[in-house]
C-alpha cells in the first residue's frame, strides 16, 4: 500500500515528491495485453492508495453530504490465462468519502482466497469463463478456492444490515470494512459462506434483501431471503429449463420477476475446449413471476432476448412494470460489430390476462441503468444510464465505453443529457438529497480524461443533469472502467 498523504499529496493537486500523474498509474502492474478490455482505461491498477483533502477542481461538495461512494470492478493483478470482460478479474473497490465539504480517496483489492492462491504462486492459476483451467491442487490450501472457476468478487458492492459486501457472479461474497479491509466470506448469520448474485434487491417495507444464486450445472436458481439485520431467513429453489446465467432480477412489493433467457451453461462444451456459456435461442425467453415465499411460479413465454441489467420493477394497476436494457442476443463485451445494440425497454406483465407487452423507450445504445434506489420495487419514472456520443475522440472504442449520461422519463419519453465530451464516464449511482421528489439528489460518477489520463469523481444534480456539475473532485490516480457501485450515507 502507498499512502499519498504521507508522500506529499497537496490540496492543490501537486505531487510534492516530484512524481508525475503517470508515475502513479499501474505502478505495480508490469504486464501488458492486446485485449482491449485490459488496455486503455480498462487496464488494471496495482497500487492501493490513501489520499486526503482531494482537490475540488470545479463547483463545491455540498457540505451537508456525508457518506461514501464505492465502486467495484474487474482488476486482474496477474496477467490472466483467459479473460472475458465483464466476467473475469480480481475485485478492486475504489471509494470516495465525503464529509463537511471535503473528500478523501481509498482503494483496495478484495482479498479473496482465489487472489491469495495467485499471490503465493506469483502468477494467474485460474482460467476464465471462455477457457476453464484445472488448478493444481498443490497450490491450494484448505478452505481456499480449488477452482476451476475463480471467484474475484469484482462485480458490485452492497451494504446491507451493517455488512459491506463485495459480490461476484453467484459465488461466495466477501465482507469488507468501511475502510475496505477484507474480513472474509460472508455467512449471513449461518455457519457457512453464502452464495449471492451480482445484483440483489431490497424490499421497500420490510427492508429484507432478496438475493439469487444460479447454478452452472443444474437447471435451478436459489433465492435467499435475508432480513434487515443481515441474517438468512430462508432459501428456496426455482426450477429452470436449463442451467441459466441470470445476472439480475426484479423485485416488486409482492413478487420476484425472473427473466431466464437462453444464455445457458454447457459443461460438455467446456470440456471440449469451447466457452462454458452458450447462446441457444431455440430455448426462447421464459419470464417467471414468483411469490416472495417461492410459491406459485407463473411462467410466460417470449421470443429470445437477454438482459444484463434492470433499472427497476414495480406493480401498478394490476400490472407489473419493468424498466430494463434489452439485448437481442447474449454477447460478452455487451455488444459488438453490426449487431443491434442494447436499448432501454419497458416490459408490462398483465397478471390477470397473463399477457406481456414490451416497448422500446429509447433508440440509443445504453447500459448500466440505475434509478433512485430508495424507491426500489416502488413506482419510478426516471432512469439514469450512460451512452456514447461522437464527442469522444477515441477511434473504435470497445463496448462499455460511454461519455454521456442520460436521464430518461419513462412516462413521457423525454431525455435530458450531460455530455462529458472527451471523457469516459461509468455508471451513475443516485445519491439522495432529501425525502422530496424522485430526482431530488445527485448522480455520483467516475470519469476519465483521455488527454491527460486523469480521473475525477463527479457529482451531477439529478434534477438538472444538463447543467454544470455540482462538484468535480480530482482523484490521485487513474480509476479504471469498473462495473457497479453504491452510495452509503454516514450514520
Amino acid at each position: 500500500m502507498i499512502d499519498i498523504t504521507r508522500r506529499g499529496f497537496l490540496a492543490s493537486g501537486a505531487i510534492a515528491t516530484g512524481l508525475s500523474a503517470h508515475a502513479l498509474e499501474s505502478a505495480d502492474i508490469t504486464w501488458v495485453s492486446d485485449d482491449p478490455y485490459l488496455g486503455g482505461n480498462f487496464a488494471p491498477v496495482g497500487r492501493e492508495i490513501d489520499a486526503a483533502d482531494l482537490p475540488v477542481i470545479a463547483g463545491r461538495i455540498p457540505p451537508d453530504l456525508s457518506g461514501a461512494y464505492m465502486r467495484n470492478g474487474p482488476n486482474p493483478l496477474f496477467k490472466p490465462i483467459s479473460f472475458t470482460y465483464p466476467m473475469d478479474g480480481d475485485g478492486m473497490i475504489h471509494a470516495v468519502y465525503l464529509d463537511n465539504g471535503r473528500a478523501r480517496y481509498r482503494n483496495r483489492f478484495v482479498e479473496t482466497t482465489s487472489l491469495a492462491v495467485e499471490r503465493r504462486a506469483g502468477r494467474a492459476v485460474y482460467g476464465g469463463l471462455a477457457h476453464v483451467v484445472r488448478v493444481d491442487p498443490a497450490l491450494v490450501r484448505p478452505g481456499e478456492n480449488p477452482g476451476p472457476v475463480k471467484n474475484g468478487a469484482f462485480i458490485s458492492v452492497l451494504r446491507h444490515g451493517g455488512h459491506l459486501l463485495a459480490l461476484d457472479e453467484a459465488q461466495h461474497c466477501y465482507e469488507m470494512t468501511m475502510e475496505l479491509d477484507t474480513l472474509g466470506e460472508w455467512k449471513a448469520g449461518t455457519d457457512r459462506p453464502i452464495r449471492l448474485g451480482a445484483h440483489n434487491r431490497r424490499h421497500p417495507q420490510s427492508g429484507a434483501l432478496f438475493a439469487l444464486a444460479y447454478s452452472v450445472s443444474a437447471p435451478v436458481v436459489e433465492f435467499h431471503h435475508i432480513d434487515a439485520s443481515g441474517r438468512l431467513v430462508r432459501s428456496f429453489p426455482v426450477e429452470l429449463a436449463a442451467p441459466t446465467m441470470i445476472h439480475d432480477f426484479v423485485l416488486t412489493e409482492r413478487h420476484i420477476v425472473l427473466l431466464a433467457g437462453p444464455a445457458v451453461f454447457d459443461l460438455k462444451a467446456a470440456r471440449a475446449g469451447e466457452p462454458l456459456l452458450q447462446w441457444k435461442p431455440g430455448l426462447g425467453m421464459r419470464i417467471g413471476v414468483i411469490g416472495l415465499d417461492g410459491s406459485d411460479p407463473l411462467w410466460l413465454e417470449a421470443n429470445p432476448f437477454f438482459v444484463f441489467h434492470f433499472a427497476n420493477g414495480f406493480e401498478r394497476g394490476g400490472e407489473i412494470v419493468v424498466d430494463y436494457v434489452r439485448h437481442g442476443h447474449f454477447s460478452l463485451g455487451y455488444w459488438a460489430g453490426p449487431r443491434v445494440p442494447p436499448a432501454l425497454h419497458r416490459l408490462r406483465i398483465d397478471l390477470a390476462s397473463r399477457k406481456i407487452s414490451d416497448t422500446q423507450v429509447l433508440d440509443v445504445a445504453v447500459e448500466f441503468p440505475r434509478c433512485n434506489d430508495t424507491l426500489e420495487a416502488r413506482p419510478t419514472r426516471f432512469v439514469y444510464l450512460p451512452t456514447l456520443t461522437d464527442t469522444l475522440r477515441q477511434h473504435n472504442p470497445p463496448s462499455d465505453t460511454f461519455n454521456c449520461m442520460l436521464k430518461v422519463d419513462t412516462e413521457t419519453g423525454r431525455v435530458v443529457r450531460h455530455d462529458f465530451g472527451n471523457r469516459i464516464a461509468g455508471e451513475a449511482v443516485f445519491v439522495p438529497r432529501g425525502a422530496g421528489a424522485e430526482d431530488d439528489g445527485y448522480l455520483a460518477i467516475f470519469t476519465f480524461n483521455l488527454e491527460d489520463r486523469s480521473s475525477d469523481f463527479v457529482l451531477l444534480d439529478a434534477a438538472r443533469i444538463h447543467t454544470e456539475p455540482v462538484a468535480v473532485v480530482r482523484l490521485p490516480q487513474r480509476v479504471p472502467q469498473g462495473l457497479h457501485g453504491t452510495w452509503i450515507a454516514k450514520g
Side-chain angles (χ1 to χ4, degrees), residues 214-246:
Y214 57 75
S215 171
V216 300
S217 59
V220 65
V221 60
E222 185 176 39
F223 280 94
H224 303 300
H225 175 184
I226 301 168
D227 69 18
S229 71
R231 297 186 65 86
L232 180 66
V233 176
R234 65 180 182 274
S235 301
F236 56 85
V238 175
E239 295 184 2
L240 305 174
T244 305
M245 176 189 168
I246 302 175

Side-chain angles (χ1 to χ4, degrees), residues 90-147:
D90 293 310
M92 176 175 277
I93 301 175
H94 300 261
V96 175
Y97 303 84
L98 304 179
D99 192 44
N100 196 30
R102 302 170 70 184
R104 65 183 177 94
Y105 167 86
R106 186 178 179 92
N107 71 304
R108 292 293 184 274
F109 278 101
V110 182
E111 296 293 341
T112 66
T113 64
S114 302
L115 183 56
V117 171
E118 295 191 334
R119 283 189 188 278
R120 286 198 307 271
R123 58 180 174 83
V125 301
Y126 299 87
L129 183 69
H131 180 54
V132 177
V133 174
R134 181 180 177 273
V135 177
D136 182 353
L139 297 175
V140 182
R141 294 175 178 173
E144 294 180 334
N145 180 13

